[in-house]
Amino acid sequence: GVMEKLGLGPEVLLQENPRLIYARLTGFGQAGKYAKSAGHDINYLALSGVLSKLGRKNENPYAPVNLLADFAGGGVMCALGIVIALFERARSGRGQVIDASMVEGVAYLSSFLWKSESLGLWSQPRGENLLDSGAPFYEIYRTSDGKFMAVGAIEPVFYNQLIEGLGLNLDELPAQMSFSDWPEMKKKFASVFAQKTQAEWCSIFDGTDACVTPVLSFDDVASHQHNKERSSFIKNDQGEVSPRPAPVLSRTPAVPSCKRDPFIGEHTEEILLEYGFTKEEIDKLYSDKAIEVKNLKASL
């Protein structure tokens, strides 16, 4: 209702421009009991049902920072809605309103969980399933230098290479999908991984299909050979590292900026002048505290 109070709701603007695509991104959506309630990623994740699936056995559910509901279920789904609406407008010539709820976005994003539950992938309690830390071959293990290795050896051909790399004998171990043996197998794998450093395990598993990779820190990720070869991370002119835009398009790839992020208000005056505002109007907006201006140039 905030935009309506400003006289800028979709009904008003679509009358002015019927081709307008008006995206409304909120936590709980534009209608419903919680529509006007405050919330954060963890709340939207909880209401979507997804949070109940996240966490280890016998522990509370945990929210993976604020990536799932805010960014994936919210920002990405809203952007996808805009792309869909643009595609449709190319045919109809008409715009429309996008009601992007983070609850519904993250729920829809997790459709795999709903659809695969009947297949047995999520039939056990939290933390006891194939992909939620229940399986010993889909887990994270600590190395002797306090770092970690991520293991995702689901398919038998990959699992066999995992066992070989760990120096174990497949014939002496329980069957891979023997659920009752998973807890003991996790202990065995943990004991083996704890005997070598992360670098030593990388030297063993790099170049294999065991699906074993190092858990890289933000400090290490840009220097990893694979990421370096793909230029997956970039540095700005301040030396700060960030991910390169993805996905990479073959004809029109994104051109990342290597400049630092702008300060709040750094370009306000420049942009308003470009859009036809006079210096006097900009000064009035600034004095009314409607805008913020940060002038980096010395007035000499």
Side-chain angles (χ1 to χ4, degrees):
V2 174
M3 298 304 287
E4 282 78 2
K5 290 176 184 176
L6 297 172
L8 298 173
E11 295 81 5
V12 174
L13 297 188
L14 280 165
Q15 283 183 354
E16 294 284 333
N17 178 9
R19 291 176 54 83
L20 180 69
I21 293 166
Y22 194 113
R24 314 198 80 167
L25 175 57
T26 58
F28 298 112
Q30 294 297 317
K33 180 179 179 179
Y34 288 178
K36 295 185 178 180
S37 299
H40 280 294
D41 183 286
I42 194 170
N43 308 116
Y44 314 138
L45 206 57
L47 206 64
S48 73
V50 177
L51 186 57
S52 71
K53 296 290 186 182
L54 305 179
R56 292 184 176 275
K57 182 179 178 180
N58 298 326
E59 293 184 10
N60 294 349
Y62 70 85
V65 292
N66 68 325
L67 293 175
L68 273 184
D70 278 354
F71 295 107
V76 173
M77 286 297 204
C78 185
L80 179 60
I82 293 171
V83 171
I84 294 169
L86 285 167
F87 183 76
E88 192 279 336
R89 188 178 72 179
R91 298 180 177 185
S92 69
R94 299 172 59 197
Q96 55 187 310
V97 180
I98 299 163
D99 179 0
S101 155
M102 294 185 196
V103 172
E104 294 164 0
V106 74
Y108 186 59
L109 187 72
S110 70
S111 294
F112 164 72
L113 302 183
W114 299 85
K115 301 295 184 182
S116 62
E117 195 166 28
S118 60
L119 301 177
L121 290 179
W122 302 98
S123 56
Q124 300 301 312
R126 181 176 62 251
E128 297 182 29
N129 299 279
L130 183 67
L131 302 178
D132 65 356
S133 79
F137 49 84
Y138 203 89
E139 180 59 288
I140 298 162
Y141 294 100
R142 183 185 292 270
T143 58
S144 64
D145 54 347
K147 297 182 180 181
F148 299 91
M149 299 297 289
V151 177
I154 299 175
E155 291 80 359
V157 63
F158 302 154
Y159 180 75
N160 292 349
Q161 293 188 49
L162 166 66
I163 297 303
E164 182 181 342
L166 291 176
L168 300 174
N169 188 334
L170 191 65
D171 296 331
E172 297 175 357
L173 300 175
Q176 179 184 355
M177 298 306 293
S178 176
F179 300 103
S180 61
D181 290 304
W182 279 3
E184 284 304 314
M185 288 298 294
K186 286 179 71 171
K187 292 178 182 177
K188 180 181 288 288
F189 287 4
S191 173
V192 175
F193 271 108
Q195 295 171 18
K196 289 182 172 65
T197 66
Q198 185 187 73
E200 288 174 322
W201 285 119
C202 286
S203 68
I204 290 172
F205 286 112
D206 279 3
T208 74
D209 284 334
C211 301
V212 180
T213 49
V215 177
L216 301 176
S217 69
F218 273 24
D219 292 333
D220 299 332
V221 70
S223 60
H224 187 273
Q225 183 179 351
H226 176 80
N227 293 333
K228 283 175 65 176
E229 289 175 1
R230 287 186 53 83
S231 301
S232 300
F233 293 85
I234 55 176
K235 283 186 179 181
N236 66 11
D237 54 12
Q238 308 291 304
E240 298 167 333
V241 176
S242 62
R244 182 193 61 190
V248 180
L249 305 185
S250 62
R251 286 192 301 103
T252 58
V255 180
S257 171
C258 290
K259 296 181 179 178
R260 61 162 174 76
D261 292 340
F263 298 117
I264 294 175
E266 183 176 348
H267 303 112
T268 303
E269 185 173 345
E270 175 186 339
I271 292 169
L272 291 178
L273 286 170
E274 186 178 309
Y275 272 86
F277 286 80
T278 66
K279 187 70 169 64
E280 291 72 24
E281 288 173 325
I282 295 172
D283 289 342
K284 178 68 164 59
L285 287 170
Y286 179 69
S287 65
D288 290 343
K289 297 184 178 180
I291 62 172
E292 187 167 342
V293 175
K294 185 177 182 69
N295 190 354
L296 300 181
K297 298 177 182 177
S299 299
L300 298 176

